[in-house]
Amino acid sequence: MTAVNEFLAELASDSPTPGGGSVAALSGALGAALCSMVCNLTIGKKKYVDVEEDLKRVLVETERLRLELNQLIDEDAAAFDKVMTAMKLPKETDDEKAAREAALQDSLVDAASIPLVVMGKCVEVVELSATVAEKGNVNAVSDAGVAALNGRAGVHAARLNVLINLGGIRAERHALFVEEARAAMNEMVERADRLAKQAMATVLEKVS
Amino acid sequence: MTAVNEFLAELASDSPTPGGGSVAALSGALGAALCSMVCNLTIGKKKYVDVEEDLKRVLVETERLRLELNQLIDEDAAAFDKVMTAMKLPKETDDEKAAREAALQDSLVDAASIPLVVMGKCVEVVELSATVAEKGNVNAVSDAGVAALNGRAGVHAARLNVLINLGGIRAERHALFVEEARAAMNEMVERADRLAKQAMATVLEKVS
């Protein structure tokens, strides 16, 4: 049934990709998929006719996020592979050193940008999971809670991947990017934590 | 590269399995796999010769946990399918009603027991991720942090699945199970939160 064993084995290997950045995107995709499931278990049920239109709109968003985050699993790995490629460039002459450093700095910006995008999409997942927990089929409310937990884990996991790449950026031309990335992250973490807490409170009230 | 898109599509469908219980086990397996990866990126490196034996022992545990949690993804779905089967038993006569209720109560105990096992294994993942964050290759420390986040998310996600199944258990003969499950959960959540916080503090210090 589950085709995840290969991915897990690949992850565990001594190859640095796929790594934590890909897992961050996967966490978000799992959260989005669970939101979609709860929507699908609610839409068309008589008892939930009042929220049907709301959840149809949510489903469009969660399916979009599932597919986007699914794709970002691979994009994160590709961005990190480019950092590794830049690191392997020759560094004998001064020209080589300068070219290598320029390539490395640019690749680090890309490698930080992907998890930054993942963070934003995971925040969306958390927000939608709170709606799904509130309005969705109560028999599947634990699934909405698991979606919130995965969305939140995705936000924090992606943040670690932004941070580790920002740590290597020294080029003056990228200083503004670093500054803006840090500010955006703080806002996203605050928002995700607040919404996840809200979703979990709703879920815990309904499951107990 | 990633063979997870099928699993994500299956998750998003209107079939209740796989659901949040399977995702809880998957989160733990992802955390275990990332711990294994960091061990594999550390063992054999000169700079880390002092911690090599420690991380070899950790790797044995994280590989065991990866495989066990991978299997629990399917076991959770199978246990929930049994609850659904019990709910569909005939309930016309008093005898049928009694037989259905007995089957349902037993299936709910099984469906709560699987995520309880998942919780315990996810706590182990969090604990090992703290060691990996401390001793593992610093270039992969963000991966140790993502492992901690996934282990912790797995603990909380599994808890929601225990709770929703416990909520349906009314049989007096299962009262002790319910009581012991609640006590065990509180202890595991407290432990996981504490160790995840510790792992994240180590990671954030090293990535910044």
Side-chain angles (χ1 to χ4, degrees), chain A residues 1-206:
Chain A
M1 184 185 76
T2 54
V4 294
N5 47 334
E6 265 182 58
F7 180 76
L8 288 165
E10 226 179 297
L11 196 61
S13 79
D14 67 355
S15 156
T17 59
S22 293
V23 171
L26 175 54
S27 292
L30 290 166
L34 283 170
C35 286
S36 294
M37 182 182 84
V38 182
C39 290
N40 282 321
L41 289 168
T42 310
I43 294 164
K45 294 250 187 332
K46 252 190 200 163
K47 196 178 156 188
Y48 296 96
V49 69
D50 288 351
V51 295
E52 179 155 327
E53 289 310 311
D54 291 347
L55 291 188
K56 276 184 182 170
R57 275 190 296 270
V58 168
L59 180 58
V60 171
E61 298 303 313
T62 56
E63 283 297 275
R64 171 184 57 80
L65 287 163
R66 172 171 72 83
L67 298 173
E68 288 171 350
L69 285 160
N70 192 347
Q71 197 152 333
L72 283 157
I73 298 170
D74 290 346
E75 286 177 20
D76 185 88
F80 189 71
D81 285 339
K82 278 187 193 164
V83 176
M84 303 290 280
T85 304
M87 285 176 104
K88 284 175 195 153
L89 287 175
K91 47 177 179 176
E92 295 297 310
T93 68
D94 282 351
D95 277 359
E96 281 176 356
K97 273 183 200 166
R100 177 180 177 273
E101 178 67 8
L104 182 59
Q105 292 298 306
D106 292 350
S107 71
L108 284 167
V109 169
D110 289 347
S113 299
I114 300 279
L116 206 56
V117 170
V118 169
M119 273 187 89
K121 294 190 189 298
C122 287
V123 176
E124 284 190 76
V125 170
V126 177
E127 183 165 11
L128 292 164
S129 73
T131 304
V132 167
E134 195 197 321
K135 300 186 177 175
N137 190 328
V138 70
N139 295 325
V141 74
S142 57
D143 300 298
V146 178
L149 288 163
N150 273 270
R152 183 186 175 276
V155 169
H156 285 265
R159 175 174 167 246
L160 294 179
N161 284 276
V162 179
L163 286 173
I164 203 164
N165 288 306
L166 287 190
I169 300 178
R170 293 169 295 259
E172 190 53 45
R173 69 183 187 283
H174 295 316
L176 185 65
F177 169 78
V178 172
E179 193 186 317
E180 288 182 345
R182 290 194 191 275
M185 280 195 291
N186 288 340
E187 203 178 312
M188 287 192 279
V189 164
E190 185 279 320
R191 187 168 165 73
D193 285 355
R194 182 167 46 78
L195 291 167
K197 211 171 165 183
Q198 181 192 318
M200 286 299 281
T202 305
V203 173
L204 284 168
E205 204 192 306
K206 292 189 183 184

Side-chain angles (χ1 to χ4, degrees), chain B residues 102-191:
Chain B
L104 183 60
Q105 292 298 306
D106 292 350
S107 71
L108 284 166
V109 169
D110 289 347
S113 298
I114 300 279
L116 206 55
V117 170
V118 169
M119 274 186 89
K121 294 190 190 298
C122 286
V123 176
E124 283 189 75
V125 170
V126 178
E127 185 166 10
L128 292 163
S129 73
T131 304
V132 167
E134 196 198 321
K135 300 185 177 176
N137 189 327
V138 71
N139 295 327
V141 74
S142 58
D143 300 298
V146 178
L149 288 164
N150 273 269
R152 183 185 176 276
V155 169
H156 284 265
R159 174 173 168 246
L160 294 179
N161 284 276
V162 178
L163 285 174
I164 203 164
N165 288 305
L166 288 189
I169 300 177
R170 294 169 294 258
E172 190 52 46
R173 69 183 186 286
H174 294 316
L176 185 63
F177 168 78
V178 172
E179 193 185 317
E180 289 182 344
R182 288 192 191 276
M185 279 195 292
N186 288 339
E187 203 177 313
M188 287 191 281
V189 164
E190 185 277 321
R191 188 168 164 71

Side-chain angles (χ1 to χ4, degrees), chain B residues 11-197:
Chain B
L11 195 61
S13 79
D14 67 354
S15 156
T17 57
S22 293
V23 171
L26 175 53
S27 292
L30 289 166
L34 283 171
C35 285
S36 294
M37 182 182 85
V38 182
C39 289
N40 282 321
L41 289 169
T42 310
I43 294 164
K45 295 252 186 335
K46 254 191 198 162
K47 195 177 155 189
Y48 295 97
V49 67
D50 288 351
V51 295
E52 177 155 328
E53 288 310 311
D54 290 349
L55 290 188
K56 276 184 182 170
R57 277 191 294 271
V58 168
L59 180 58
V60 171
E61 298 304 313
T62 55
E63 283 296 275
R64 170 184 59 77
L65 286 163
R66 173 171 71 84
L67 298 173
E68 287 171 351
L69 284 160
N70 192 348
Q71 197 152 333
L72 283 158
I73 298 170
D74 290 346
E75 285 177 21
D76 186 89
F80 190 73
D81 285 338
K82 277 187 194 165
V83 175
M84 302 291 279
T85 304
M87 285 177 105
K88 284 175 194 153
L89 288 173
K91 48 177 177 175
E92 295 295 311
T93 68
D94 282 353
D95 278 0
E96 281 176 355
K97 274 182 198 164
R100 177 180 176 276
E101 179 66 8
L104 183 60
Q105 292 298 306
D106 292 350
S107 71
L108 284 166
V109 169
D110 289 347
S113 298
I114 300 279
L116 206 55
V117 170
V118 169
M119 274 186 89
K121 294 190 190 298
C122 286
V123 176
E124 283 189 75
V125 170
V126 178
E127 185 166 10
L128 292 163
S129 73
T131 304
V132 167
E134 196 198 321
K135 300 185 177 176
N137 189 327
V138 71
N139 295 327
V141 74
S142 58
D143 300 298
V146 178
L149 288 164
N150 273 269
R152 183 185 176 276
V155 169
H156 284 265
R159 174 173 168 246
L160 294 179
N161 284 276
V162 178
L163 285 174
I164 203 164
N165 288 305
L166 288 189
I169 300 177
R170 294 169 294 258
E172 190 52 46
R173 69 183 186 286
H174 294 316
L176 185 63
F177 168 78
V178 172
E179 193 185 317
E180 289 182 344
R182 288 192 191 276
M185 279 195 292
N186 288 339
E187 203 177 313
M188 287 191 281
V189 164
E190 185 277 321
R191 188 168 164 71
D193 285 355
R194 182 168 44 79
L195 290 166
K197 212 172 163 180

